[in-house]
Amino acid sequence: MYEAWPYAKGIGGGLQIAPNGMHVLAELGLADEMIRRGSIAESFDFYSQSGRRLGSINRNMKARFGQPAVNMCRAALNEVLVDKAWCANAALHFEKRLAHIEDRADQPIVAHFTDGSSAEGDFLIGADGVHSAVRAHVIPDGPKPFDTGLIGFGGFVPRSLLENTPVGQRVETTFGQSGFFGYGFCSSNPADGVMWWSTQPAHGVAAADFRAMSQDQLRQHLRDFHAGWHDPVPQIVDAAENIVVTDTLDVATLPTWSRKRTLLIGDAAHATSPHAGQGASLALEDAMRLGRLMRDGQELGLTFQNFEHERRPRAEKIVAVARRNGNSKREFSATGAWIRDHMLKLLLPVSARGMDWMYAYDPRAA
Ligand SMILES: Cc1cc2nc3c(=O)[nH]c(=O)nc-3n(C[C@H](O)[C@H](O)[C@H](O)COP(=O)(O)OP(=O)(O)OC[C@H]3O[C@@H](n4cnc5c(N)ncnc54)[C@H](O)[C@@H]3O)c2cc1C
């Protein structure tokens, strides 16, 4: 495995791994550790900007789907996966940024890195995310990531901030007239026990411009944006430190996921905007399904075709859900927001049942 960045701990925000992704972690023997280091999410609850409860979904996930949904720090997940790979004697190389790929007949496939070094093998799997360099090899002049017009802010606040509120193990989220806010416990560590995120229309301001701001300026921006939102949103914003700014990107459907001996998986193949909370679980599923198919020992091209045939319909359905969900976080008129909130209240129970297929998927049984 060749990774562009140095090995580092403690980087990234919080995320939720859904039951379908937890099945993969269970297969790797890592589910219990991630439950211990993270926090089981007992439901996903929705509120209006003024704090009116709109509904609650994703209850009893473990009973219904065999695994719970688990909130965790991205850094903890990364650390556990890397440790597991090291223990299995996998060769991990850091600070190796792929520049280009050479795939000549009758020779090994070669990955060339920006430091001038290279590595060769029988095939190459591109798991290099939304900005994938491998994608440019598989589909030269293919689709590029585009900005969805929403911008994300996120980070952690201490557990003590929520310990006296009735949030319990719920993930609480709020639809504003413009934008969206969410928070929930994600770790037993007192310092970073609560993850939070804010999604807002970017209004033409690039993520880079926000990243150039000081933490005080970012906090003030969030205070202004979420002014008047129900408690504890203002308290979380006031306590926020090390605020991370993220673009909200999407990539159009790719015409193919492979070319000769190279295959794309995860966000490189089907970048998923964050609004379905499924991108990381899908990437875990991909890795496991590909591993299983490769073990069957069929010819490489056929394995890649079978992988795409099996995975594409599910991935594209989830990408479409994420796009649809993102639309409810844009800017509404006061009347539009009122109608949206009432529709949500009426439709949430029905639409939640309609999402069970996402969580019910067990990649071990597929
Ligand atoms: C704000 C936000 C919140 C999210 N929340 C959730 C959530 O709650 N639940 C969920 O399931 N998903 C969530 N997602 C989506 C999820 O993060 C992604 O779908 C997931 O990380 C994709 O995994 P991946 O392994 O395909 O790519 P990545 O996680 O992006 O990993 C790609 C890796 O490749 C490396 N790399 C990139 N280019 C090169 C190169 N040229 N050479 C070598 N290495 C390279 C990168 O450094 C990185 O380590 C969220 C996304 C965002 C932005």
Side-chain angles (χ1 to χ4, degrees):
M1 193 210 74
Y2 296 85
E3 162 60 42
W5 292 93
Y7 178 63
K9 291 186 172 188
I11 290 182
L15 85 171
Q16 182 176 101
I17 298 296
N20 46 307
M22 288 301 294
H23 284 308
V24 182
L25 295 180
E27 182 75 6
L28 294 171
L30 301 175
D32 290 343
E33 183 169 359
M34 290 320 303
I35 290 171
R36 191 171 44 75
R37 293 182 65 163
S39 179
I40 290 179
E42 285 178 353
S43 66
F44 210 93
D45 291 21
F46 297 94
Y47 294 84
S48 72
Q49 188 169 318
S50 60
R52 200 159 45 86
R53 195 177 153 85
L54 302 175
S56 176
I57 62 171
N58 295 359
R59 291 167 171 269
N60 305 319
M61 298 287 251
K62 183 162 170 44
R64 291 192 295 145
F65 306 118
Q67 283 288 341
V70 182
N71 300 338
M72 57 187 75
C73 301
R74 203 174 272 267
L77 176 60
N78 196 45
E79 197 183 312
V80 163
L81 287 172
V82 167
D83 283 353
K84 180 78 184 177
W86 260 321
C87 289
N89 288 324
L92 309 185
H93 306 266
F94 292 89
E95 296 182 76
K96 293 289 173 193
R97 182 172 290 278
L98 183 85
H100 68 276
I101 296 166
E102 204 181 320
D103 188 359
R104 296 214 184 119
D106 303 325
Q107 289 181 27
I109 184 165
V110 185
H112 292 276
F113 303 107
T114 51
D115 64 0
S117 63
S118 60
E120 55 180 51
D122 297 332
F123 56 85
L124 192 149
I125 307 298
D128 53 345
V130 66
H131 295 288
S132 174
V134 181
R135 192 194 292 130
H137 166 81
V138 171
I139 315 160
D141 304 320
K144 304 269 179 302
F146 63 88
D147 204 311
T148 61
L150 293 169
I151 197 142
F153 300 83
F156 303 100
V157 291
R159 288 185 77 82
S160 54
L161 198 79
L162 288 194
E163 249 151 20
N164 295 324
T165 66
V167 57
Q169 294 296 108
R170 296 191 293 273
V171 174
E172 304 223 309
T173 63
T174 301
F175 282 101
Q177 184 176 331
S178 173
F180 185 80
F181 194 91
Y183 58 91
F185 286 111
C186 68
S187 150
S188 49
N189 184 339
D192 60 6
V194 177
M195 64 181 193
W196 65 269
W197 73 100
S198 165
T199 308
Q200 310 172 3
H203 293 305
V205 183
D209 296 332
F210 279 109
R211 281 192 204 109
M213 290 182 184
S214 69
Q215 287 288 313
D216 281 343
Q217 287 170 318
L218 284 176
R219 205 175 301 105
Q220 192 53 48
H221 166 79
L222 289 167
R223 273 194 197 111
D224 295 343
F225 188 86
H226 292 293
W229 287 43
H230 68 84
D231 290 345
V233 175
Q235 291 84 344
I236 292 175
V237 167
D238 275 340
E241 285 177 8
N242 303 320
I243 301 164
V244 174
V245 183
T246 47
D247 313 85
T248 307
L249 302 172
D250 205 335
V251 180
T253 306
L254 305 186
T256 178
W257 291 0
S258 67
R259 180 178 169 201
K260 295 201 242 169
R261 290 177 288 178
T262 304
L263 174 74
L264 302 171
I265 66 171
D267 269 11
H270 44 71
T272 317
S273 58
H275 316 295
Q278 277 284 335
S281 291
L282 267 184
L284 287 165
E285 287 177 12
D286 277 358
M288 184 169 171
R289 291 306 304 154
L290 180 61
R292 289 274 165 101
L293 288 173
M294 292 199 85
R295 251 191 255 161
D296 289 348
Q298 280 178 314
E299 187 267 321
L300 190 69
L302 194 60
T303 303
F304 288 178
Q305 269 174 30
N306 288 343
F307 174 79
E308 181 174 340
H309 181 74
E310 175 189 317
R311 297 293 301 156
R312 189 186 267 275
R314 173 167 170 80
E316 288 184 356
K317 208 168 158 191
I318 290 178
V319 167
V321 169
R323 284 187 189 134
R324 222 170 34 238
N325 290 351
N327 285 334
S328 26
K329 299 173 184 174
R330 297 180 189 279
E331 188 144 10
F332 286 76
S333 65
T335 318
W338 187 88
I339 294 171
R340 177 204 55 200
D341 290 354
H342 280 74
M343 294 300 284
L344 275 172
K345 209 169 170 163
L346 281 174
L347 296 179
L348 265 175
V350 184
S351 68
R353 274 197 299 281
M355 290 295 126
D356 281 358
W357 59 269
M358 249 173 5
Y359 309 118
Y361 176 84
D362 183 344
R364 296 168 306 178

